[in-house]
Amino acid sequence: MVTAAQPLTYPLSVRHLGPNWYATVMGTAVVATAGAALPPHVPGLRGVLTGVWALSFLLLLALLAGRAAHWSRHRDQARAHLLDPATAPFYGCLAMALLAVGGGALTVGRTWIGLRAAVALDAVLFTAGTVLGVAAAVAVPYLMAVRHRVEPGQATPVWLLPLVAPMVSAAVGPLLVPHLPPGQARETLLLFCFALFGLSLLATLVMLPLVFARLVTGGPLPLALTPTLFLVLGPLGQSATAVGAFADVAPGVVPEPYGEGFGILAVLYGVPAMGFALLWFFLATALVLRALRHGMRFSMTWWSFTFPVGTCVTAAEALGRDTGLIAYAGPAVVLYAVLVAAWGTAVAGTVRGLFRGELLAAPGPVPAAPRPVTVRTTSGAVR
């Protein structure tokens, strides 16, 4: 048993280093990229954001090394993660971590490493992240159908993670379009990203009703899983960000009227998507406040408060550009403040948990379904 007085040894730490730890990279990178396009221009902010991106890059390198050691030294545990329906979906986080850091290289990282190095780094990470993201979007549902034994009552927002990864590719891929040769190369990448948008969006629309139905019919999630409700904001905010990115680069890349069509899509899709995101934000917040009142303690699921909220910030920023409405500036700033507060809380909790030896210790049993907290009559009334 690991206690605060017993420092973690390296083999013990990597044995229980799961793919969910890539969420720390995602949450850190989005603080940098979301802050780069905020309406207010604060002196010195750019340097701070670049430093945050550099931190996410270092975290990515450290986790890649740790996870490589995990697979080489503890293959039994790695296989167990893949065969665990509660852990396997987190393999989508690896792809999203690569993509988030790659996109941040072009957004803010180029201030330090230069444009050429930023383009090269983003190209490598975008390619690797996209391949891994599509693979996770296929492999994890396959494992759930063939090897995992899951029931509808076990559905959680974590199931969305492998399906959202291609949407992150769709959102950050357009950053590379202007750096390709004009003509076929640019148009191919843009339409490829649009295809990834469709892949992720349609898959999410299939999975999300299971999550919502489980929440309504099964009652609140277990306390430790309640923060994962914010994961639903990921596909909503990232898809609105993606269509905004398409609209930014489409003119001159695809022939008309398709170039103008992307601009229309950015508004006609982005506005209602953000409307639903607002509804879910308040619903998830209410359930998190309830969980806190019932004794919810910090766990790695608190990183769910970071990246999904960050995608809503970038979506609001994109809608502000596409509509020209300053009304989107306010929500973007408020959501970014929420993001920074959530990131700071998650960082503090993670550092504290690592110091105490709690987060990398062997996990305890997690209930597959919550204990009933209400009594439902046959008429649907709750008492």
Side-chain angles (χ1 to χ4, degrees):
M1 180 177 179
V2 179
T3 65
Q6 295 175 308
L8 287 171
T9 61
Y10 185 72
L12 176 62
S13 65
V14 297
R15 177 167 180 79
H16 301 293
L17 184 69
N20 60 315
W21 278 81
Y22 286 112
T24 63
V25 178
M26 298 160 54
T28 303
V30 80
V31 171
T33 55
L38 284 177
H41 298 286
V42 180
L45 178 61
R46 188 80 177 186
V48 173
L49 297 178
T50 305
V52 174
W53 171 82
L55 175 61
S56 71
F57 185 39
L58 293 176
L59 283 173
L60 176 63
L61 295 178
L63 283 173
L64 288 174
R67 288 288 296 164
H70 172 85
W71 271 93
S72 64
R73 301 182 182 191
H74 305 288
R75 293 186 180 181
D76 61 323
Q77 186 75 356
R79 286 179 56 82
H81 284 166
L82 280 173
L83 298 179
D84 182 0
T87 305
F90 284 101
Y91 273 88
C93 291
L94 167 58
M96 290 187 279
L98 295 171
L99 293 163
V101 172
L106 270 181
T107 306
V108 294
R110 64 182 183 180
T111 303
W112 281 3
I113 64 177
L115 181 59
R116 175 176 292 187
V119 171
L121 178 61
D122 189 21
V124 171
L125 295 181
F126 172 77
T127 302
T130 299
V131 171
L132 291 172
V134 173
V138 175
V140 174
Y142 174 84
L143 288 173
M144 294 177 71
V146 176
R147 299 297 299 273
H148 301 165
R149 294 293 178 265
V150 294
E151 301 293 336
Q154 296 175 307
T156 72
V158 173
W159 288 9
L160 295 171
L161 286 173
L163 306 179
V164 179
M167 187 66 79
V168 181
S169 293
V172 303
L175 293 173
L176 288 168
V177 170
H179 302 283
L180 292 176
Q184 289 279 329
R186 292 185 179 183
E187 185 174 356
T188 299
L189 178 56
L190 177 58
L191 294 184
F192 174 67
C193 291
F194 193 36
L196 292 172
F197 167 84
L199 181 161
S200 181
L201 178 63
L202 295 177
T204 298
L205 291 177
V206 171
M207 189 69 75
L208 186 55
L210 296 178
V211 176
F212 189 68
R214 153 66 185 83
L215 184 64
V216 173
T217 62
L221 294 176
L223 295 182
L225 291 177
T226 302
T228 64
L229 289 169
F230 274 75
L231 294 177
V232 176
L233 296 177
L236 298 172
Q238 199 67 280
S239 60
T241 301
V243 292
F246 300 156
D248 290 341
V249 301
V253 173
V254 294
E256 296 298 341
Y258 304 114
E260 183 181 356
F262 276 114
I264 296 172
L265 176 66
V267 176
L268 295 186
Y269 173 83
V271 172
M274 285 299 291
F276 183 66
L278 185 64
L279 164 68
W280 194 272
F281 178 85
F282 286 118
L283 173 62
T285 299
L287 288 168
V288 166
L289 293 176
R290 174 193 174 277
L292 287 171
R293 291 196 302 271
H294 284 75
M296 181 180 71
R297 300 179 59 190
F298 176 81
S299 67
M300 288 299 291
T301 59
W302 282 41
W303 283 95
S304 302
F305 298 137
T306 57
F307 189 78
V309 174
T311 67
C312 292
V313 175
T314 56
E317 292 167 346
L319 284 172
R321 294 193 305 269
D322 295 327
T323 63
L325 296 176
I326 60 174
Y328 283 103
V333 172
V334 171
L335 286 171
Y336 188 73
V338 172
L339 168 62
V340 172
W343 179 74
T345 302
V347 168
T350 303
V351 172
R352 184 170 56 250
L354 286 172
F355 179 77
R356 294 176 178 176
E358 299 169 349
L359 296 181
L360 289 175
V366 177
R371 297 177 182 178
V373 294
T374 56
V375 178
R376 298 175 184 266
T377 66
T378 55
S379 66
V382 179
R383 58 184 177 87

